[in-house]
Amino acid sequence: KAVQGLRREAGFDVSDRINLSWASGSEEIATAMERHGDWIASEVLATAVTDDATGAEIEVDSFTMRATVDRA
């Protein structure tokens, strides 16, 4: 949901492919991204998911992370 908000803020259409970058100091977020990154990518239409974001802070459940989207 938070990634879709970043997509809207960037002016992307819901069908646009994106690159998703993320960063978090949370082990839980890192583990979730490692285990479920492919599924997350398919849900948000990301062609690439990397762990080097410096973008906006977003809330995922009770965790804070940084995320950036750009057009693929």
Side-chain angles (χ1 to χ4, degrees):
K1 189 174 181 175
V3 172
Q4 299 299 29
L6 292 175
R7 176 195 294 275
R8 274 191 302 277
E9 289 174 15
F12 300 156
D13 290 330
V14 71
S15 61
D16 287 341
R17 296 282 176 177
I18 62 169
N19 296 314
L20 171 63
S21 298
W22 67 275
S24 177
S26 164
E27 256 188 69
E28 289 91 341
I29 292 288
T31 299
M33 292 301 290
E34 183 179 312
R35 289 183 183 165
H36 307 290
D38 290 340
W39 177 80
I40 293 167
S42 71
E43 289 293 305
V44 300
L45 299 179
T47 59
V49 178
T50 58
D51 63 350
D52 58 357
T54 58
E57 279 195 1
I58 59 174
E59 293 288 323
V60 177
D61 294 330
S62 60
F63 301 98
T64 301
M65 64 186 286
R66 293 197 174 276
T68 305
V69 296
D70 58 26
R71 194 169 275 127

